[in-house]
Amino acid sequence: MTTKTTTNKTTRQITKRTVIFTLTALLLACAVSYAAPMPFPSLSIGVGSATKPNDVAVTVQIFLLLTIMSLAPGLLIMTTSFTRISVVLSFLRTAMGTQAAPSNQIILALSMFLTFFIMTPVWQQINKDAYQPWKAQLISQEQAMERAVKPVRTFMLSQTREKDLALFVSLSKLQRPKNAEDIPTLTIIPAFMISELRTAFQIGFLIYIPFIVVDMVVASVLMSMGMMMLPPVMISLPFKILLFVLVDGWGLVIGSLVKSFG
C-alpha cells in the first residue's frame, strides 16, 4: 500500500508540473502574438514614369552594367592570357596521363591567378589612365571607356600574328587599315584568340615530346621482356611523374608560359 501511495503522489506531481509548464508556454505565446511586430527590412522594385532625363540615363547605365557583369567571364577568356594558359595546362595533364590529377578546378584556378599576375600591368594602366580620372570627374564616361580599351588593345596586338589579323580584316570586308588604330576591337579579339590557340598548341607539342619518349622506352623494354600483356601506361606513369618532378616541371612550364607574354 505504501508503494502504491508513493507512486500515485509522484504521478500527481508530474501531472501538475506538466499542466503548469503547458499553461506558461501558452501565456508566453499569447504575449508574443499580441506584442509589437519586429521591424524587418523590405525591398520594393517597381516600374514608374521617369520625371527627368537623368533617370532614364541612370536606368540604362544599370542595365548596361549588369550586361557587362554577365559577360565578364567571356571577356576574361577572350581578351587576356587565360586561353593560352588553360590549354597548355590541359595538354600537360593529358601528356602525363594522370587523367584527373590535377583536377579541372585546380587547372582553372591556376590559370585564373596566372592571368591576374600577367594582366596586372595592363589593369594598373587602365586604373591610372581611365578609372581614377573618371572617378575624380576629370573625364567623361565615354573618354574613360576609350582610355580603358587602349591598354587591352595594345596587349592583344602584341600577341596576335599579322596573318591572323589580316584574315579577320579580310573576312570583315573592311578597307585596308593604315595602322593598328584603324582596326576595330571586334576584329582584333578573334584574331587574338586564334593566335593564342596556335601558340598553346605549339607549347603543348613541345611538352608531349619527353613523355612520348618515356612511353616508347617503357613499351620497348616490356616487349623485349615478353610482357606484352602488361599495359605500358601502368609502368610509364610513375617514371613520367618522377621525371617531371626531378626536372622541376611545374617551374619550367609556368615560367615558360609567363615569359611567353613578354
Coordinates of all heavy atoms in Angstrom, one line a residue, residues 172-258:
S172 N 36.0 40.5 -92.5 CA 35.0 41.6 -92.2 C 34.8 42.6 -93.3 O 34.0 43.5 -93.2 CB 35.6 42.4 -91.0 OG 36.9 43.0 -91.3
K173 N 35.5 42.4 -94.4 CA 35.4 43.2 -95.7 C 35.6 44.7 -95.4 O 34.9 45.5 -95.9 CB 34.0 43.0 -96.3 CG 33.8 41.5 -96.7 CD 32.4 41.3 -97.3 CE 32.2 39.9 -97.7 NZ 30.8 39.7 -98.4
L174 N 36.6 45.0 -94.5 CA 37.0 46.3 -94.3 C 38.0 46.8 -95.2 O 38.7 46.0 -95.9 CB 37.5 46.5 -92.8 CG 36.5 46.1 -91.7 CD1 37.2 46.2 -90.4 CD2 35.3 47.1 -91.7
Q175 N 38.2 48.1 -95.3 CA 39.2 48.6 -96.2 C 40.6 48.4 -95.5 O 40.7 48.2 -94.3 CB 39.0 50.1 -96.3 CG 37.8 50.5 -97.2 CD 37.6 52.0 -97.3 OE1 38.4 52.8 -96.8 NE2 36.6 52.4 -98.1
R176 N 41.6 48.3 -96.3 CA 42.9 48.1 -95.7 C 43.3 49.1 -94.7 O 43.4 50.3 -95.1 CB 44.0 48.0 -96.9 CG 45.4 47.6 -96.4 CD 46.3 47.6 -97.6 NE 47.7 47.3 -97.1 CZ 48.1 46.0 -97.1 NH1 47.3 45.0 -97.4 NH2 49.3 45.7 -96.7
P177 N 43.5 48.8 -93.5 CA 43.8 49.8 -92.4 C 45.2 50.3 -92.6 O 46.2 49.6 -93.0 CB 43.7 49.0 -91.1 CG 43.9 47.6 -91.5 CD 43.4 47.4 -92.9
K178 N 45.4 51.6 -92.3 CA 46.7 52.3 -92.4 C 47.6 51.9 -91.2 O 48.8 51.8 -91.4 CB 46.5 53.8 -92.5 CG 45.7 54.2 -93.7 CD 45.5 55.7 -93.7 CE 44.7 56.2 -94.9 NZ 44.5 57.7 -94.9
N179 N 47.0 51.7 -90.1 CA 47.8 51.3 -88.9 C 46.9 50.5 -87.9 O 45.7 50.3 -88.3 CB 48.3 52.6 -88.2 CG 47.2 53.7 -88.0 OD1 46.1 53.3 -87.7 ND2 47.6 54.9 -88.1
A180 N 47.4 50.1 -86.8 CA 46.7 49.3 -85.8 C 45.5 50.0 -85.2 O 44.5 49.4 -84.8 CB 47.6 48.8 -84.7
E181 N 45.5 51.4 -85.1 CA 44.4 52.1 -84.6 C 43.2 52.1 -85.4 O 42.1 52.3 -84.9 CB 44.8 53.5 -84.3 CG 46.0 53.7 -83.3 CD 46.4 55.1 -83.1 OE1 45.8 56.0 -83.8 OE2 47.2 55.4 -82.2
D182 N 43.3 51.8 -86.7 CA 42.2 51.7 -87.6 C 41.4 50.4 -87.5 O 40.3 50.3 -88.1 CB 42.6 52.0 -89.0 CG 43.1 53.4 -89.2 OD1 42.8 54.3 -88.4 OD2 43.9 53.7 -90.1
I183 N 42.0 49.4 -86.9 CA 41.4 48.1 -86.8 C 40.4 48.1 -85.7 O 40.7 48.4 -84.5 CB 42.4 47.0 -86.6 CG1 43.5 47.1 -87.7 CG2 41.8 45.6 -86.6 CD1 44.6 46.1 -87.5
P184 N 39.1 47.7 -85.9 CA 38.1 47.6 -84.8 C 38.5 46.6 -83.8 O 39.2 45.6 -84.1 CB 36.8 47.3 -85.5 CG 37.1 47.6 -87.0 CD 38.5 47.4 -87.2
T185 N 38.1 46.8 -82.5 CA 38.4 45.9 -81.5 C 37.7 44.5 -81.7 O 38.3 43.5 -81.3 CB 37.9 46.5 -80.1 OG1 38.5 47.8 -79.9 CG2 38.3 45.6 -78.9
L186 N 36.5 44.5 -82.2 CA 35.8 43.3 -82.5 C 36.5 42.4 -83.6 O 36.3 41.2 -83.7 CB 34.4 43.5 -82.9 CG 33.5 44.2 -81.9 CD1 32.1 44.4 -82.4 CD2 33.4 43.3 -80.6
T187 N 37.4 43.0 -84.3 CA 38.2 42.3 -85.3 C 39.5 41.8 -84.7 O 40.0 40.7 -85.0 CB 38.5 43.2 -86.5 OG1 37.3 43.7 -87.1 CG2 39.3 42.4 -87.6
I188 N 40.0 42.5 -83.7 CA 41.2 42.1 -83.0 C 41.0 40.9 -82.1 O 41.9 40.0 -82.0 CB 41.8 43.3 -82.2 CG1 42.2 44.4 -83.2 CG2 43.0 42.8 -81.4 CD1 42.7 45.7 -82.4
I189 N 39.8 40.8 -81.5 CA 39.6 39.8 -80.4 C 39.6 38.4 -81.1 O 40.4 37.5 -80.5 CB 38.3 40.1 -79.7 CG1 38.4 41.3 -78.8 CG2 37.9 38.9 -78.9 CD1 37.1 41.7 -78.2
P190 N 38.9 38.1 -82.1 CA 39.0 36.7 -82.7 C 40.4 36.4 -83.2 O 40.9 35.2 -83.1 CB 37.9 36.7 -83.8 CG 37.7 38.1 -84.1 CD 37.9 38.8 -82.8
A191 N 41.1 37.4 -83.8 CA 42.4 37.1 -84.3 C 43.4 36.8 -83.1 O 44.2 35.9 -83.2 CB 42.9 38.4 -85.1
F192 N 43.2 37.5 -82.0 CA 44.0 37.3 -80.8 C 43.7 35.9 -80.3 O 44.7 35.2 -79.9 CB 43.6 38.3 -79.8 CG 44.2 38.0 -78.4 CD1 45.5 38.2 -78.1 CD2 43.3 37.6 -77.4 CE1 46.0 37.9 -76.8 CE2 43.8 37.3 -76.1 CZ 45.1 37.5 -75.9
M193 N 42.5 35.4 -80.3 CA 42.2 34.1 -79.7 C 42.8 33.0 -80.6 O 43.3 32.0 -80.1 CB 40.7 33.9 -79.6 CG 40.0 34.8 -78.6 SD 38.3 34.4 -78.4 CE 38.4 32.8 -77.6
I194 N 42.7 33.2 -81.9 CA 43.3 32.2 -82.8 C 44.8 32.1 -82.6 O 45.4 31.0 -82.6 CB 43.0 32.5 -84.3 CG1 41.5 32.1 -84.5 CG2 43.8 31.6 -85.2 CD1 41.0 32.4 -85.9
S195 N 45.5 33.2 -82.5 CA 46.9 33.3 -82.2 C 47.2 32.6 -80.9 O 48.3 31.9 -80.8 CB 47.4 34.7 -82.3 OG 47.2 35.3 -83.5
E196 N 46.4 32.8 -79.9 CA 46.6 32.2 -78.6 C 46.5 30.7 -78.7 O 47.3 30.0 -78.1 CB 45.7 32.8 -77.6 CG 45.9 34.2 -77.1 CD 47.2 34.3 -76.3 OE1 47.2 33.9 -75.2 OE2 48.2 34.8 -76.9
L197 N 45.5 30.2 -79.4 CA 45.4 28.8 -79.6 C 46.6 28.2 -80.3 O 47.1 27.1 -80.0 CB 44.1 28.5 -80.3 CG 42.8 28.7 -79.5 CD1 41.6 28.5 -80.4 CD2 42.7 27.8 -78.3
R198 N 47.0 28.8 -81.4 CA 48.2 28.4 -82.1 C 49.4 28.3 -81.2 O 50.2 27.3 -81.2 CB 48.5 29.3 -83.3 CG 49.7 28.9 -84.2 CD 49.8 29.8 -85.3 NE 50.9 29.4 -86.2 CZ 52.2 29.7 -86.0 NH1 52.5 30.5 -85.0 NH2 53.1 29.3 -86.8
T199 N 49.7 29.3 -80.4 CA 50.8 29.3 -79.5 C 50.7 28.2 -78.5 O 51.7 27.5 -78.1 CB 51.0 30.7 -78.9 OG1 51.1 31.7 -79.9 CG2 52.2 30.7 -78.0
A200 N 49.5 28.0 -78.0 CA 49.2 27.0 -76.9 C 49.5 25.6 -77.5 O 50.1 24.7 -76.8 CB 47.8 27.1 -76.4
F201 N 49.1 25.4 -78.8 CA 49.3 24.1 -79.4 C 50.8 23.8 -79.6 O 51.3 22.7 -79.5 CB 48.5 23.9 -80.7 CG 47.1 23.4 -80.4 CD1 46.2 24.2 -79.8 CD2 46.7 22.2 -80.9 CE1 44.9 23.8 -79.6 CE2 45.4 21.7 -80.7 CZ 44.5 22.5 -80.0
Q202 N 51.5 24.9 -80.0 CA 53.0 24.7 -80.1 C 53.7 24.3 -78.8 O 54.5 23.4 -78.8 CB 53.6 26.0 -80.7 CG 53.2 26.3 -82.1 CD 53.7 27.7 -82.6 OE1 54.1 28.5 -81.8 NE2 53.7 27.9 -83.9
I203 N 53.3 25.0 -77.8 CA 53.9 24.7 -76.4 C 53.4 23.3 -76.0 O 54.2 22.5 -75.5 CB 53.4 25.7 -75.4 CG1 53.9 27.1 -75.8 CG2 53.9 25.4 -74.0 CD1 53.5 28.2 -74.9
G204 N 52.2 22.9 -76.3 CA 51.7 21.6 -76.0 C 52.5 20.5 -76.7 O 52.8 19.4 -76.2
F205 N 52.9 20.7 -78.0 CA 53.7 19.8 -78.8 C 55.0 19.6 -78.1 O 55.5 18.4 -78.0 CB 53.8 20.3 -80.2 CG 54.8 19.5 -81.0 CD1 54.4 18.2 -81.5 CD2 56.1 19.9 -81.3 CE1 55.3 17.4 -82.2 CE2 57.0 19.2 -82.0 CZ 56.6 17.9 -82.5
L206 N 55.7 20.7 -77.7 CA 57.0 20.5 -77.0 C 56.9 19.8 -75.7 O 57.8 19.1 -75.3 CB 57.6 21.9 -76.8 CG 57.9 22.7 -78.1 CD1 58.4 24.1 -77.7 CD2 58.9 22.0 -79.0
I207 N 55.7 20.0 -75.0 CA 55.5 19.3 -73.7 C 55.4 17.8 -73.9 O 55.8 16.9 -73.1 CB 54.3 19.9 -73.0 CG1 54.7 21.3 -72.5 CG2 53.9 19.0 -71.8 CD1 53.5 22.0 -71.8
Y208 N 54.7 17.4 -75.0 CA 54.4 16.0 -75.3 C 55.7 15.2 -75.6 O 55.7 14.0 -75.3 CB 53.5 15.9 -76.5 CG 52.1 15.5 -76.1 CD1 51.1 16.5 -76.0 CD2 51.7 14.2 -75.9 CE1 49.8 16.2 -75.7 CE2 50.4 13.9 -75.6 CZ 49.4 14.9 -75.5 OH 48.1 14.6 -75.1
I209 N 56.7 15.8 -76.2 CA 57.9 15.0 -76.7 C 58.5 14.2 -75.6 O 58.7 13.0 -75.8 CB 58.9 16.0 -77.4 CG1 58.2 16.5 -78.7 CG2 60.2 15.3 -77.7 CD1 59.1 17.5 -79.4
P210 N 59.0 14.7 -74.4 CA 59.7 13.9 -73.5 C 58.8 12.8 -72.9 O 59.3 11.7 -72.6 CB 60.1 14.9 -72.4 CG 59.2 16.1 -72.6 CD 58.9 16.1 -74.0
F211 N 57.5 13.0 -72.8 CA 56.6 12.0 -72.2 C 56.4 10.9 -73.3 O 56.3 9.7 -72.9 CB 55.3 12.6 -71.8 CG 55.4 13.6 -70.7 CD1 55.1 14.9 -70.9 CD2 55.7 13.1 -69.4 CE1 55.2 15.8 -69.9 CE2 55.8 14.0 -68.4 CZ 55.6 15.4 -68.6
I212 N 56.4 11.2 -74.5 CA 56.3 10.2 -75.6 C 57.5 9.3 -75.6 O 57.4 8.1 -75.8 CB 56.0 10.8 -77.0 CG1 54.6 11.4 -77.0 CG2 56.2 9.8 -78.1 CD1 54.3 12.2 -78.3
V213 N 58.7 9.9 -75.4 CA 59.9 9.2 -75.4 C 59.9 8.2 -74.2 O 60.3 7.0 -74.4 CB 61.1 10.1 -75.2 CG1 62.4 9.4 -75.0 CG2 61.3 11.0 -76.5
V214 N 59.4 8.6 -73.0 CA 59.3 7.7 -71.9 C 58.4 6.5 -72.2 O 58.7 5.3 -71.9 CB 58.9 8.4 -70.7 CG1 58.6 7.5 -69.5 CG2 59.9 9.5 -70.2
D215 N 57.2 6.8 -72.8 CA 56.3 5.7 -73.2 C 56.9 4.8 -74.2 O 56.7 3.5 -74.1 CB 55.0 6.3 -73.8 CG 54.2 7.1 -72.8 OD1 54.2 6.6 -71.6 OD2 53.4 8.0 -73.1
M216 N 57.7 5.3 -75.2 CA 58.3 4.4 -76.2 C 59.4 3.5 -75.5 O 59.5 2.3 -75.8 CB 58.9 5.2 -77.3 CG 57.9 5.9 -78.1 SD 58.6 7.0 -79.4 CE 59.5 5.8 -80.4
V217 N 60.2 4.1 -74.6 CA 61.2 3.3 -74.0 C 60.6 2.2 -73.1 O 61.0 1.0 -73.1 CB 62.1 4.2 -73.1 CG1 63.0 3.4 -72.2 CG2 62.9 5.1 -74.0
V218 N 59.6 2.5 -72.3 CA 58.9 1.5 -71.5 C 58.3 0.4 -72.3 O 58.4 -0.8 -72.0 CB 57.9 2.2 -70.6 CG1 57.1 1.2 -69.8 CG2 58.6 3.1 -69.6
A219 N 57.6 0.8 -73.4 CA 56.9 -0.2 -74.3 C 58.0 -1.1 -74.9 O 57.8 -2.3 -75.0 CB 56.1 0.5 -75.4
S220 N 59.1 -0.6 -75.3 CA 60.2 -1.4 -75.9 C 60.8 -2.4 -74.9 O 61.0 -3.6 -75.2 CB 61.3 -0.5 -76.5 OG 60.8 0.4 -77.5
V221 N 61.0 -1.9 -73.7 CA 61.5 -2.8 -72.6 C 60.5 -3.9 -72.3 O 60.9 -5.1 -72.2 CB 61.9 -2.0 -71.4 CG1 62.2 -2.9 -70.2 CG2 63.0 -1.0 -71.7
L222 N 59.3 -3.6 -72.2 CA 58.3 -4.6 -71.9 C 58.2 -5.6 -73.0 O 58.0 -6.8 -72.8 CB 56.9 -3.9 -71.6 CG 56.8 -3.1 -70.3 CD1 55.4 -2.5 -70.2 CD2 57.0 -4.0 -69.1
M223 N 58.2 -5.2 -74.2 CA 58.1 -6.1 -75.4 C 59.4 -7.0 -75.4 O 59.3 -8.2 -75.7 CB 58.0 -5.3 -76.7 CG 57.7 -6.2 -77.9 SD 57.4 -5.2 -79.4 CE 55.9 -4.4 -78.9
S224 N 60.6 -6.5 -75.1 CA 61.8 -7.3 -75.2 C 61.8 -8.3 -74.0 O 62.4 -9.4 -74.2 CB 63.0 -6.4 -75.0 OG 63.0 -5.7 -73.8
M225 N 61.1 -8.0 -72.9 CA 60.9 -9.0 -71.8 C 59.8 -9.9 -72.0 O 59.6 -10.8 -71.2 CB 60.8 -8.2 -70.5 CG 62.0 -7.3 -70.1 SD 61.6 -6.3 -68.7 CE 61.4 -7.6 -67.4
G226 N 59.1 -9.8 -73.1 CA 57.9 -10.7 -73.4 C 56.7 -10.4 -72.6 O 55.8 -11.2 -72.5
M227 N 56.6 -9.2 -72.0 CA 55.5 -8.9 -71.1 C 54.5 -8.0 -72.0 O 54.3 -6.8 -71.7 CB 55.9 -8.1 -69.9 CG 56.9 -8.9 -69.1 SD 57.6 -8.0 -67.7 CE 56.1 -7.7 -66.7
M228 N 54.0 -8.6 -73.0 CA 53.2 -7.8 -74.0 C 51.8 -7.6 -73.4 O 51.1 -6.7 -73.9 CB 53.2 -8.5 -75.3 CG 54.5 -8.5 -76.1 SD 54.4 -9.4 -77.6 CE 54.2 -11.1 -77.1
M229 N 51.4 -8.4 -72.5 CA 50.0 -8.3 -71.9 C 49.9 -7.2 -70.9 O 48.8 -6.8 -70.5 CB 49.6 -9.6 -71.3 CG 49.5 -10.8 -72.3 SD 48.4 -10.5 -73.7 CE 46.8 -10.4 -72.8
L230 N 51.1 -6.7 -70.4 CA 51.1 -5.7 -69.4 C 51.0 -4.3 -70.1 O 51.8 -4.0 -70.9 CB 52.3 -5.7 -68.6 CG 52.4 -4.7 -67.4 CD1 51.4 -5.0 -66.4 CD2 53.8 -4.8 -66.8
P231 N 50.0 -3.5 -69.7 CA 49.8 -2.2 -70.3 C 51.0 -1.3 -70.0 O 51.4 -1.1 -68.8 CB 48.6 -1.6 -69.7 CG 47.8 -2.8 -69.2 CD 48.8 -3.8 -68.8
P232 N 51.7 -0.7 -71.0 CA 52.9 0.1 -70.8 C 52.5 1.4 -69.9 O 53.4 1.9 -69.2 CB 53.3 0.5 -72.2 CG 52.7 -0.5 -73.1 CD 51.4 -0.9 -72.5
V233 N 51.3 1.8 -70.0 CA 50.9 3.0 -69.2 C 51.1 2.8 -67.7 O 51.5 3.7 -67.0 CB 49.5 3.4 -69.6 CG1 49.1 4.7 -68.8 CG2 49.3 3.7 -71.1
M234 N 50.8 1.6 -67.3 CA 50.9 1.3 -65.8 C 52.3 1.5 -65.3 O 52.6 1.9 -64.2 CB 50.4 -0.1 -65.5 CG 48.9 -0.2 -65.8 SD 48.3 -1.9 -65.4 CE 48.7 -2.0 -63.6
I235 N 53.3 1.2 -66.2 CA 54.7 1.2 -65.8 C 55.3 2.6 -66.1 O 56.1 3.1 -65.4 CB 55.5 0.2 -66.6 CG1 54.9 -1.2 -66.4 CG2 57.0 0.2 -66.1 CD1 54.8 -1.7 -64.9
S236 N 54.9 3.2 -67.2 CA 55.5 4.5 -67.6 C 55.0 5.7 -66.8 O 55.7 6.7 -66.7 CB 55.2 4.8 -69.1 OG 53.8 4.9 -69.3
L237 N 53.7 5.6 -66.2 CA 53.2 6.7 -65.5 C 54.1 7.1 -64.3 O 54.4 8.3 -64.1 CB 51.8 6.4 -65.0 CG 51.1 7.5 -64.2 CD1 51.0 8.8 -65.0 CD2 49.7 7.0 -63.8
P238 N 54.5 6.2 -63.4 CA 55.4 6.6 -62.3 C 56.7 7.2 -62.8 O 57.2 8.2 -62.2 CB 55.7 5.3 -61.6 CG 54.5 4.4 -61.9 CD 54.2 4.7 -63.3
F239 N 57.3 6.7 -63.9 CA 58.5 7.3 -64.4 C 58.3 8.7 -65.0 O 59.1 9.6 -64.8 CB 59.1 6.3 -65.5 CG 59.7 5.1 -65.0 CD1 59.0 3.9 -65.0 CD2 60.9 5.1 -64.4 CE1 59.5 2.7 -64.6 CE2 61.5 3.9 -63.9 CZ 60.8 2.7 -64.0
K240 N 57.1 8.9 -65.6 CA 56.8 10.3 -66.1 C 56.7 11.2 -65.0 O 57.1 12.4 -65.1 CB 55.6 10.2 -67.0 CG 55.8 9.5 -68.3 CD 54.7 9.7 -69.3 CE 53.5 8.9 -68.9 NZ 52.4 9.0 -69.9
I241 N 56.0 10.8 -63.9 CA 55.8 11.7 -62.8 C 57.2 12.0 -62.1 O 57.5 13.1 -61.7 CB 54.8 11.1 -61.8 CG1 53.4 11.0 -62.4 CG2 54.8 11.9 -60.5 CD1 52.4 10.3 -61.5
L242 N 58.0 10.9 -62.0 CA 59.3 11.1 -61.4 C 60.2 12.1 -62.3 O 60.9 13.0 -61.7 CB 60.0 9.8 -61.3 CG 61.4 9.8 -60.7 CD1 61.4 10.3 -59.3 CD2 62.0 8.4 -60.7
L243 N 60.1 11.9 -63.6 CA 60.9 12.8 -64.5 C 60.4 14.2 -64.4 O 61.2 15.1 -64.3 CB 60.8 12.3 -65.9 CG 61.4 13.2 -67.0 CD1 62.9 13.2 -66.9 CD2 61.0 12.6 -68.4
F244 N 59.1 14.4 -64.3 CA 58.5 15.7 -64.2 C 58.9 16.4 -62.9 O 59.2 17.6 -62.9 CB 57.0 15.6 -64.3 CG 56.3 17.0 -64.5 CD1 56.4 17.7 -65.7 CD2 55.6 17.5 -63.4 CE1 55.8 18.9 -65.8 CE2 55.0 18.7 -63.6 CZ 55.1 19.4 -64.7
V245 N 59.0 15.6 -61.8 CA 59.3 16.2 -60.5 C 60.8 16.6 -60.5 O 61.3 17.6 -60.0 CB 58.9 15.3 -59.4 CG1 59.5 15.8 -58.0 CG2 57.4 15.2 -59.3
L246 N 61.7 15.6 -61.0 CA 63.1 15.8 -60.9 C 63.6 17.1 -61.7 O 64.5 17.7 -61.3 CB 63.8 14.6 -61.4 CG 63.8 13.4 -60.5 CD1 64.5 12.2 -61.2 CD2 64.4 13.6 -59.2
V247 N 62.9 17.3 -62.8 CA 63.4 18.5 -63.7 C 62.6 19.8 -63.3 O 62.8 20.8 -63.9 CB 63.1 18.2 -65.2 CG1 63.9 17.0 -65.6 CG2 61.6 18.0 -65.5
D248 N 61.9 19.7 -62.2 CA 61.1 20.9 -61.7 C 60.1 21.3 -62.8 O 60.2 22.4 -63.3 CB 62.0 22.0 -61.3 CG 61.2 23.1 -60.6 OD1 60.1 22.9 -60.1 OD2 61.8 24.2 -60.5
G249 N 59.3 20.4 -63.2 CA 58.4 20.6 -64.4 C 57.5 21.8 -64.2 O 57.3 22.5 -65.1
W250 N 56.9 21.9 -63.0 CA 55.9 23.0 -62.8 C 56.6 24.3 -63.0 O 56.0 25.3 -63.5 CB 55.3 22.9 -61.5 CG 54.3 21.8 -61.4 CD1 54.3 20.6 -60.7 CD2 53.0 21.7 -62.1 NE1 53.2 19.8 -60.9 CE2 52.4 20.5 -61.7 CE3 52.4 22.5 -63.0 CZ2 51.2 20.1 -62.2 CZ3 51.1 22.1 -63.5 CH2 50.5 20.9 -63.1
G251 N 57.8 24.5 -62.4 CA 58.5 25.7 -62.5 C 58.9 26.0 -64.0 O 58.8 27.2 -64.4
L252 N 59.3 25.0 -64.7 CA 59.6 25.2 -66.2 C 58.4 25.6 -67.0 O 58.5 26.6 -67.8 CB 60.3 24.0 -66.7 CG 61.7 23.6 -66.2 CD1 62.1 22.2 -66.7 CD2 62.7 24.7 -66.5
V253 N 57.3 24.9 -66.8 CA 56.1 25.2 -67.6 C 55.5 26.5 -67.3 O 55.2 27.4 -68.1 CB 55.1 24.1 -67.4 CG1 53.7 24.4 -68.0 CG2 55.6 22.7 -67.9
I254 N 55.4 26.8 -66.0 CA 54.8 28.1 -65.6 C 55.7 29.3 -66.0 O 55.3 30.3 -66.5 CB 54.5 28.1 -64.1 CG1 53.5 27.0 -63.7 CG2 53.9 29.5 -63.6 CD1 52.2 27.1 -64.4
G255 N 57.0 29.1 -65.7 CA 58.0 30.1 -66.1 C 58.0 30.4 -67.6 O 58.0 31.5 -68.1
S256 N 57.9 29.3 -68.4 CA 57.8 29.5 -69.9 C 56.6 30.2 -70.3 O 56.6 31.0 -71.2 CB 58.0 28.1 -70.6 OG 59.2 27.5 -70.2
L257 N 55.5 29.8 -69.7 CA 54.2 30.5 -70.0 C 54.2 32.0 -69.7 O 53.8 32.8 -70.6 CB 53.0 29.8 -69.2 CG 52.5 28.5 -69.8 CD1 51.5 27.9 -68.8 CD2 51.8 28.8 -71.1
V258 N 54.7 32.3 -68.5 CA 54.7 33.7 -68.2 C 55.7 34.5 -69.1 O 55.4 35.6 -69.6 CB 55.1 33.9 -66.7 CG1 55.3 35.4 -66.4 CG2 54.0 33.3 -65.8

